[in-house]
């Protein structure tokens, strides 16, 4: 789907790869491990406000490259953070897609449907 392609485009852009490297250089330790009293090297950069949940491409871009939206994590903490937020797995993806579809439908159909026609879905 187009949404995922936009995400893929952003995550593979050299701009992101450079920023990711910058964050990991500047924040070499996993922030969550640090908060929990462990010292672990950060290997991944987490987006606090999820890029894939933004609807407009502009918003995606903004979230992707906003340094205040980024957090250096180790792989385990990254996976754990996503699991806790319910963002990983097929169930979360399905739920997110349904939410996006509803928002798009609302955007395009609100105000265009006559009272007499009743719900489409
Ligand atoms: Zn960690």
């Amino acid at each position: 789907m187009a949404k995922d392609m936009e995400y893929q485009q952003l995550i593979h852009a050299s701009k992101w790869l450079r920023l990711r490297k910058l964050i990991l250089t500047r924040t070499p330790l996993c922030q969550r491990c640090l908060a929990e009293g462990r010292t672990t090297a950060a290997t991944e950069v987490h987006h606090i406000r999820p890029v894939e949940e933004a609807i407009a491409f502009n918003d995606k871009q903004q979230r992707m490259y906003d340094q205040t939206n980024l957090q250096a994590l180790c792989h385990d903490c990254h996976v754990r953070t996503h699991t806790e937020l319910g963002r990983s797995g097929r169930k979360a993806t399905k739920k997110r897609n349904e939410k996006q579809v509803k928002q798009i439908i609302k955007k395009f159909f609100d105000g265009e449907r006559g009272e007499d026609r009743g719900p489409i879905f």
Side-chain angles (χ1 to χ4, degrees):
M1 206 172 143
K3 298 279 157 196
D4 291 330
M5 276 173 64
E6 285 176 356
Y7 180 77
Q8 291 302 321
Q9 188 189 326
L10 288 170
I11 205 90
H12 289 119
S14 58
K15 186 181 175 184
W16 165 246
L17 299 176
R18 273 199 308 272
L19 178 61
R20 189 180 174 280
K21 204 172 163 187
L22 175 79
I23 299 292
L24 291 175
T25 305
R26 215 166 46 187
T27 322
L29 296 177
C30 170
Q31 297 302 288
R32 186 165 165 176
C33 282
L34 215 58
E36 292 170 4
R38 294 184 302 271
T39 306
T40 313
T43 54
E44 299 178 9
V45 176
H46 171 60
H47 288 90
I48 299 162
R49 280 175 296 126
V51 173
E52 62 272 31
E53 281 181 15
I55 305 292
F57 187 69
N58 285 354
D59 293 340
K60 279 198 178 72
Q61 240 173 341
Q62 205 271 333
R63 289 185 186 199
M64 181 66 85
Y65 302 128
D66 178 5
Q67 292 194 27
T68 64
N69 193 37
L70 303 176
Q71 194 180 26
L73 294 175
C74 68
H75 178 72
D76 285 355
C77 286
H78 200 188
V79 170
R80 212 176 306 153
T81 301
H82 277 265
T83 306
E84 285 168 5
L85 294 170
R87 282 193 218 142
S88 314
R90 285 168 60 191
K91 223 175 160 181
T93 305
K94 192 168 176 269
K95 208 173 159 188
R96 189 166 62 232
N97 286 344
E98 281 170 3
K99 200 173 138 196
Q100 284 184 347
V101 167
K102 274 184 196 155
Q103 278 174 296
I104 291 163
I105 289 168
K106 196 172 185 311
K107 193 175 159 192
F108 284 100
F109 289 93
D110 264 17
E112 288 179 22
R113 273 165 50 206
E115 293 285 318
D116 53 326
R117 283 173 58 193
I120 299 172
F121 301 98

